[in-house]
Amino acid sequence: MAATRDRTHYLYLAVIAAVILGITVGFAAPGVAVELKPIGTGFVNLIKMMISPIIFCTIVLGVGSVRKAAKVGAVGGLALGYFMVMSTVALAIGLVVGNILEPGAGLHITDATADAGAAQVAGDAETTAEFLVGIIPTTLVSAFTEGEVLQTLLVALLAGFALQAMGRTGEPILRGIGHIQRLVFRILAMIMWAAPIGAFGAIAAVVGETGMDALKSLAVIMIGFYVTCALFVFIVLGLLLKLVTGINIFSLLKYLAREFLLIVSTSSSESALPRLIAKMEHLGVSKPVVGITVPTGYSFNLDGTAIYLTMASLFIAEAMGNPLAIGEQIGLLLFMIIASKGAAGVTGAGLATLAGGLQSHRPELVDGVGLIVGIDRFMSEARALTNFAGNAVATVLVGTWTKEIDRARVDEVLAGRIPFDEKTLVDDHGSAGDSDAEAAPSLTKDSDGSSDVPEPREESPAKV
C-alpha cells in the first residue's frame, strides 16, 4: 500500500510540474501553446467518458440497497432546498461586492470587443420548460452515450427504485453492478496517469490564448471575483460546516487537495466529479446521500457560477456606462441562476449563460460580454473550485442532517489514519478494509440484506 501511495504522490507532483511548464510555454511561445489545446481537451473528455457509468453505479447501489424509498426522497428534497438557499446567499454576496468594487468603470468597448460579445449569443437561451423536458433521455441508454448528468441521474433512480421493489430477487443484480463499479473506478485510476500531459496542454493553451495584457487590464474584476469566492468558501461554507458538523473546512479541503489540483489543471470541476463521489463514500457518507447529492449538486448547486454571473453582469453594465438599478439586478440575475442549471463543470458554460441572460433581459449589454472573453478561462478556475467545494460541503451537511454519515470514520479519514486508495478509488481493499467492514452496517441500516453493498468488501483482502 505504501508503494501505491508513493507512486500517486509522484503523479501529482508531476501534475504541478506540468502546470508550471504549461504556463512557461504559454508565455514564451503563445502560438505553439494554443496548438496544444487538444491535449487538455482529450484528457478532460477521457474523464467525462467515465462520469455517466460512475453516477449510474453509485446511485443504483445506494438507492437499490435502501428498503424505504421515502428516505431517498427525503435526501433529494433536503439537498435541493439547501442548494436553493446557498445559491441565493452566493447571489447576494456577489451583488454586494460588485456594487462596492464597480470594476467596470473606466473601460471602453471597441468594435472587436463587441463582436466577441455577440459571438457568445450564437444560440438561443434554453427555457425552463426545455430544461425540464431535457432531463428525460431519448432512450434508456442515450443518457450514457450523450453524457447528460441529469438524464443519467433519472435513469439510475428509476433502476434503483425498481431494484428496491424486486427485493431479494434483485440482489444478484446489485452485486453485479457493484463489480461493474469497481471496474469503472479502476479504469478511471488508469486514466489519471495521463493527468500531467492533460494539465500541460490545457494550461499552456489558456495562457497562450489570454496573454498578459488581458490579465493586467482586467485585474480588478479577476482579483475581486477570486477574493469573493474565497470569502464565500472559507467564511460562509466554513462557518456552516463547523456549526452543523464540527468539521473544520480546512481539513475537508486538505482531504480533497488532489481534486482541487485537477480542477485547476483542467478549468473544469466536472473532471473531479468521479473522484468526489469516491472520496465522499470513503469519508463515511452513505451511498444514497453521495449518489443523490453529488450529481444533483453539479447541476443545481452553482455557488461559484452565481457569484460569477452577478459580478460579471455588474461589471459589464458599468463598462457600458449603463449601470443596473437594484431591481434590474435582482430580476436579471435570478433569471440567470435558473437558466444556468446543468452548466456547472462545463468549461465556458458560465460565459454562454451570461451572454444568453443579457440577450434576454438587456440586449444592449451583450456587446460588453466581449470584455471578459479573454479572462473567462481564468475566472472559470474560481467558478469550478467554488462549485466543487460547495458540493463537497453539501454532501457532508446532507449526510449529517439525514444521519447517514459515520462521524467516527470521518475523523479517522481526515486525520489520515484511513488513507484513500488511489489505485482503485473504491473502499473494498487495503488498510481501510477492516474499518469499512465495521462501518458498512451503520451506513446501510435499511438494506434488504447484508450482501447488497458490504459483500464486495468481504472479497477484498485477496487483492492486496
Side-chain angles (χ1 to χ4, degrees):
M1 188 69 180
T4 299
R5 287 200 298 271
D6 287 342
R7 287 199 298 271
T8 58
H9 175 69
Y10 292 134
L11 167 64
Y12 286 92
L13 287 177
V15 171
I16 295 173
V19 169
I20 296 173
L21 181 61
I23 293 173
T24 303
V25 173
F27 283 128
V32 175
V34 172
E35 297 298 322
L36 297 174
K37 187 174 183 178
I39 298 176
T41 302
F43 173 70
V44 173
N45 287 345
L46 278 174
I47 295 181
K48 288 182 178 180
M49 173 181 73
M50 310 305 300
I51 289 177
S52 288
I54 286 174
I55 289 176
F56 178 80
C57 292
T58 302
I59 294 177
V60 171
L61 287 174
V63 175
S65 61
V66 175
R67 180 174 298 169
K68 298 178 181 177
K71 179 195 212 173
V72 177
V75 171
L78 186 59
L80 287 174
Y82 169 80
F83 296 158
M84 185 63 68
V85 171
M86 292 314 294
S87 292
T88 304
V89 172
L91 174 66
I93 291 175
L95 278 175
V96 171
V97 176
N99 279 290
I100 292 174
L101 287 181
E102 297 185 350
L107 292 178
H108 303 285
I109 301 293
T110 65
D111 291 339
T113 299
D115 292 341
Q120 294 299 321
V121 202
D124 295 331
E126 184 181 46
T127 65
T128 303
E130 290 171 339
F131 166 73
L132 293 175
V133 173
I135 296 176
I136 304 173
T138 305
T139 67
L140 194 63
V141 296
S142 65
F144 302 96
T145 58
E146 295 174 5
E148 294 289 340
V149 172
L150 288 180
Q151 291 184 0
T152 305
L153 178 63
L154 175 64
V155 173
L157 285 172
L158 292 175
F161 286 128
L163 286 170
Q164 271 187 355
M166 291 173 66
R168 293 194 175 276
T169 308
E171 288 182 9
I173 301 175
L174 281 173
R175 287 196 294 270
I177 293 175
H179 290 300
I180 294 174
Q181 183 191 48
R182 290 197 296 277
L183 170 64
V184 171
F185 273 119
R186 176 74 71 156
I187 295 173
L188 178 64
M190 294 166 59
I191 291 173
M192 288 308 301
W193 285 97
I197 300 174
F200 169 72
I203 291 294
V206 170
V207 176
E209 289 175 348
T210 306
M212 186 61 73
D213 292 339
L215 301 182
K216 289 179 180 178
S217 63
L218 299 172
V220 174
I221 181 67
M222 282 183 59
I223 295 173
F225 179 58
Y226 268 79
V227 170
T228 304
C229 288
L231 292 174
F232 178 81
V233 171
F234 294 114
I235 295 180
V236 178
L237 294 181
L239 185 61
L240 184 60
L241 184 66
K242 188 69 175 179
L243 291 175
V244 174
T245 69
I247 296 173
N248 189 302
I249 185 72
F250 293 100
S251 298
L252 181 63
L253 299 186
K254 179 183 177 182
Y255 172 63
L256 298 170
R258 291 185 171 183
E259 287 65 47
F260 283 112
L261 176 59
L262 183 62
I263 292 170
V264 169
S265 303
T266 60
S267 295
S268 172
S269 60
E270 198 171 37
S271 61
L273 189 156
R275 289 178 59 88
L276 180 60
I277 290 175
K279 279 205 161 181
M280 287 294 101
E281 289 187 3
H282 174 77
L283 185 65
V285 184
S286 71
K287 281 182 178 289
V289 171
V290 174
I292 294 171
T293 306
V294 173
T296 307
Y298 262 69
S299 289
F300 292 95
N301 192 28
L302 308 174
D303 300 331
T305 304
I307 296 172
Y308 167 80
L309 293 175
T310 305
M311 295 187 67
S313 297
L314 296 178
F315 166 77
I316 290 170
E318 288 283 345
M320 298 285 288
N322 191 6
L324 297 170
I326 294 298
E328 290 178 315
Q329 292 178 21
I330 296 175
L332 171 63
L333 297 169
L334 286 177
F335 168 83
M336 286 185 173
I337 294 302
I338 297 172
S340 67
K341 300 311 180 194
V346 182
T347 302
L351 188 63
T353 303
L354 173 65
L358 290 175
Q359 174 70 15
S360 300
H361 281 63
R362 291 285 297 274
E364 71 275 15
L365 296 179
V366 172
D367 288 349
V369 175
L371 278 171
I372 60 172
V373 168
I375 62 166
D376 180 71
R377 283 298 297 269
F378 285 96
M379 297 178 75
S380 176
E381 308 277 2
R383 282 202 307 270
L385 292 170
T386 306
N387 288 339
F388 182 82
N391 284 318
V393 171
T395 305
V396 176
L397 290 175
V398 173
T400 301
W401 287 326
T402 57
K403 295 181 172 56
E404 287 292 310
I405 186 171
D406 187 336
R407 275 309 311 273
R409 180 178 174 85
V410 170
D411 294 336
E412 291 292 301
V413 171
L414 294 182
R417 289 187 285 271
I418 304 181
F420 180 74
D421 192 308
E422 295 283 348
K423 187 176 180 182
T424 63
L425 312 184
V426 180
D427 276 337
D428 61 357
H429 57 278
S431 62
D434 295 338
S435 299
D436 290 345
E438 294 170 6
S442 66
L443 295 178
T444 56
K445 291 179 288 189
D446 293 325
S447 66
D448 289 330
S450 60
S451 60
D452 289 350
V453 178
E455 179 172 321
R457 295 174 180 172
E458 296 170 2
E459 303 171 355
S460 58
K463 284 188 175 183
V464 175

